[in-house]
Amino acid sequence: SQQGEEDPQALSIQEGENATMNCSYKTSINNLQWYRQNSGRGLVHLILIRSNEREKHSGRLRVTLDTSKKSSSLLITASRAADTASYFCATDPNSKLTFGKGITLSVRP
Amino acid sequence: DTAVSQTPKYLVTQMGNDKSIKCEQNLGHDTMYWYKQDSKKFLKIMFSYNNKELIINETVPNRFSPKSPDKAHLNLHINSLELGDSAVYFCASSQWDRGIDYGYTFGSGTRLTVV
C-alpha cells in the first residue's frame, strides 16, 4: 500500500519561478526522503529529513517536515529547464522505503 | 564508476520464457533491493537483502526469485514470464550507520517488455 501521496500530480511553471510540491503520509516515520526521476532514468536521492528535523536545505532545495500534520513540502527555487522530471517522496514504515505516486514537474524555458 | 549497475538495460522476451536481471553495487552498502515501476510510474518494493540474507519479501509471485551471491550483488530471476510482468525493474542499495539511514542509491533500471 502507498504511504506517501504527493500533491499536485502535475506542475508546470516558467523557468526562474519557484516550484512547491507537497507530500502527505499516513504512519509514523523515521525519515522522509525526496527523489527525482528524469524521463527514462533511475531515481536520484535529493534530500533526507529526519523525523526530529523541521527544515533542511540543499542548494536550491528546501524541505520542510510537519510530523503533527504528517506532511512535507519540497521547494525548488529559481527553477531551471533541467529540473523537469518526476519527483517522489518516500517514507520508511517498517524499514521499507515506500514511495508516493510522484509529481511531474515541467519547467518551461 | 557507476555506483549501482544493472544489466541488461532493455529486455524484450516472449511469454513463458525465463530471464534474469543482474545488479551490482560498488558502494560497500549492506542492503540491496528490487523495486518494480509500472506504467503509471508507481514504485513498489519487491525484495530486500541485507548481507546476503532475505529480509523483505513482498507479495510477489513465486515466479520471481532473487539471489544474492554476496553483499555486492543481487540478481532477479523470473520464470514463466507473463504480459503483466512488463515494467521497469530497479535495483537499489542503502547503508545504515548506527541506525541512521542515508538514503537509497538506485540503478538506471531494466525495462522488461513481455510480448
Side-chain angles (χ1 to χ4, degrees):
Chain A
S1 62
Q2 281 172 264
Q3 164 75 326
E5 293 278 349
E6 294 96 343
D7 168 60
Q9 287 190 325
L11 183 59
S12 181
I13 59 173
Q14 201 73 34
E15 203 165 26
E17 293 179 340
N18 295 342
T20 299
M21 291 169 270
N22 302 303
C23 169
S24 59
Y25 58 91
K26 296 173 186 171
T27 63
S28 61
I29 59 172
N30 294 312
N31 63 64
L32 185 141
Q33 305 177 34
W34 285 91
Y35 288 79
R36 184 188 74 231
Q37 184 178 32
N38 290 88
S39 181
R41 307 291 294 270
L43 284 87
V44 174
H45 181 255
L46 294 176
I47 196 165
L48 181 155
I49 186 164
R50 306 194 195 287
S51 59
N52 61 354
E53 297 175 312
R54 291 296 166 257
E55 187 171 315
K56 201 162 181 179
H57 297 253
S58 176
R60 294 184 296 113
L61 305 180
R62 173 178 166 252
V63 170
T64 62
L65 179 65
D66 187 335
T67 52
S68 66
K69 294 181 180 176
K70 291 187 168 58
S71 66
S72 172
S73 66
L74 171 67
L75 169 68
I76 303 175
T77 58
S79 63
R80 305 167 181 167
D83 294 328
T84 294
S86 294
Y87 291 81
F88 295 85
C89 71
T91 55
D92 61 343
N94 304 316
S95 301
K96 292 185 291 189
L97 194 65
T98 305
F99 289 84
K101 291 181 182 176
I103 298 170
T104 301
L105 173 66
S106 299
V107 182
R108 304 185 301 274
Chain B
D1 274 350
T2 306
V4 180
S5 58
Q6 296 178 228
T7 54
K9 191 169 173 63
Y10 299 96
L11 186 53
V12 181
T13 188
Q14 290 190 324
M15 277 175 56
N17 282 351
D18 303 339
K19 290 292 177 186
S20 292
I21 307 171
K22 295 187 175 182
C23 179
E24 176 182 3
Q25 55 97 2
N26 63 5
L27 299 165
H29 286 172
D30 287 335
T31 308
M32 296 184 72
Y33 312 83
W34 279 110
Y35 277 81
K36 179 180 179 180
Q37 186 174 44
D38 64 21
S39 58
K40 296 182 180 176
K41 293 192 178 177
F42 179 52
L43 276 150
K44 186 170 168 55
I45 190 166
M46 300 173 70
F47 302 103
S48 170
Y49 270 75
N50 180 272
N51 276 319
K52 302 192 299 175
E53 275 196 50
L54 180 66
I55 55 171
I56 294 174
N57 183 351
E58 289 295 280
T59 308
V60 175
N62 57 16
R63 299 182 293 105
F64 290 78
S65 52
K67 282 192 172 51
S68 182
D70 55 60
K71 76 172 197 176
H73 295 84
L74 180 61
N75 304 323
L76 184 64
H77 188 76
I78 315 170
N79 289 328
S80 303
L81 278 154
E82 301 177 356
L83 293 176
D85 298 331
S86 295
V88 182
Y89 293 83
F90 287 100
C91 177
S93 69
S94 72
Q95 181 68 28
W96 284 70
D97 186 9
R98 285 171 284 187
I100 297 175
D101 182 5
Y102 289 91
Y104 289 27
T105 303
F106 280 80
S108 56
T110 295
R111 182 174 292 276
L112 171 66
T113 304
V114 183
V115 297

